[in-house]
């Protein structure tokens, strides 16, 4: 394995976007996982941030993180759909082919797996015209979905070609989820793996 086969997440670094990109490249990584804040918080604006990323020579592994999207209704759901559309557009502008979405922590979110799957299906449909895949991650502090095994059930039920799971070692170990569940995942649907120490 070569370090150039891996990417680094900007969320682990301090400072402005340009400094983060330089540090990642100088450390020998060839890819970067970007946060929406990297773009929206860039002093020169979103368009300049996108230009900086493209000029860095780093490939964009993915764009994160859509929070609290699934299981909501009414105006809360409509608001999150607007957020999702905006994030998908930014991801597309970056050349990212992956959007990371994490399980909801909202007290307003339902625990109904069918509703959650329907919302994930809608999200995947929004991303499909942009050729973006959606990786759904079960946060260890998620309100109803806090393990990758449950996230996988929701993804399976949504049944979209561009919807898969994200596996994060931090959340797996935080919940002490049985690793035997990994055998139940379709490897083609594991879209993103994040290692944290």
């Amino acid at each position: 394995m070569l370090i150039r086969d891996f990417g680094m997440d900007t969320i682990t670094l301090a400072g402005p976007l340009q400094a983060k990109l330089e540090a990642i490249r100088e450390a020998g990584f060839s890819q970067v996982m970007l946060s929406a804040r990297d773009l929206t918080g860039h002093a020169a604006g979103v368009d300049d941030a996108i230009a900086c990323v493209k000029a860095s020579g780093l490939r964009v592994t993915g764009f994160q993180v859509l929070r609290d999207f699934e299981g909501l209704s009414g105006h809360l759901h409509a608001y999150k759909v607007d957020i999702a559309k905006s994030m998908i557009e930014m991801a597309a502008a970056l050349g990212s082919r992956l959007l990371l979405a994490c399980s909801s922590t909202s007290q307003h979110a339902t625990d109904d797996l069918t509703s959650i799957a329907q919302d994930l299906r809608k999200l995947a449909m929004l991303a499909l015209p942009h050729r973006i895949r959606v990786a759904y991650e079960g946060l260890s502090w998620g309100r109803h979905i806090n393990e990758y095994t449950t996230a996988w059930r929701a993804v399976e039920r949504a049944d979209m070609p561009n919807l898969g799971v994200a596996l994060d070692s931090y959340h797996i170990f935080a919940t002490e989820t049985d690793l035997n569940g990994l055998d139940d995942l379709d490897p083609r649907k594991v879209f993103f793996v994040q290692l944290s120490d």
Side-chain angles (χ1 to χ4, degrees):
M1 260 189 292
L2 300 172
I3 196 168
R4 294 197 61 78
D5 294 332
F6 290 83
M8 188 171 188
D9 193 329
T10 58
I11 205 165
T12 61
L13 300 171
L17 176 62
Q18 190 67 40
K20 291 180 181 183
L21 296 171
E22 288 172 10
I24 290 168
R25 192 178 57 247
E26 287 174 13
F29 293 99
S30 63
Q31 303 171 45
V32 60
M33 181 72 170
L34 290 162
S35 165
R37 276 180 285 181
D38 290 324
L39 303 188
T40 60
H42 187 63
V46 171
D47 290 340
D48 189 72
I50 291 168
C52 286
V53 172
K54 290 183 175 180
S56 75
L58 295 168
R59 184 169 68 84
V60 180
T61 305
F63 193 60
Q64 67 177 345
V65 58
L66 179 60
R67 298 185 184 278
D68 300 324
F69 179 80
E70 79 287 4
L72 300 173
S73 59
H75 70 281
L76 292 175
H77 174 73
Y79 171 71
K80 284 299 178 175
V81 168
D82 286 343
I83 297 287
K85 288 177 180 176
S86 178
M87 288 190 71
I88 289 166
E89 287 171 7
M90 283 190 279
L94 284 165
S96 173
R97 293 290 166 240
L98 182 77
L99 173 68
L100 182 64
C102 60
S103 60
S104 184
T105 61
S106 173
Q107 63 181 0
H108 304 292
T110 181
D111 64 352
D112 180 62
L113 198 60
T114 299
S115 294
I116 290 169
Q118 287 172 345
D119 287 344
L120 291 176
R121 183 175 178 80
K122 179 185 277 189
L123 177 59
M125 295 278 287
L126 291 170
L128 201 56
H130 299 277
R131 297 176 51 220
I132 291 175
R133 299 187 309 165
V134 177
Y136 181 59
E137 175 181 23
L139 293 179
S140 55
W141 55 83
R143 186 159 181 87
H144 303 297
I145 295 183
N146 59 11
E147 295 182 308
Y148 74 86
T149 50
T150 317
W152 169 242
R153 286 200 296 275
V155 165
E156 228 180 356
R157 192 172 291 194
D159 191 27
M160 284 293 290
N162 65 326
L163 179 66
V165 292
L167 300 175
D168 186 325
S169 63
Y170 174 87
H171 296 295
I172 292 171
F173 292 127
T175 55
E176 299 181 356
T177 306
D178 187 349
L179 294 178
N180 289 328
L182 292 171
D183 293 335
D184 297 329
L185 301 182
D186 178 349
R188 295 169 300 178
K189 289 292 207 165
V190 177
F191 287 174
F192 186 66
V193 176
Q194 189 161 24
L195 303 176
S196 307
D197 63 15

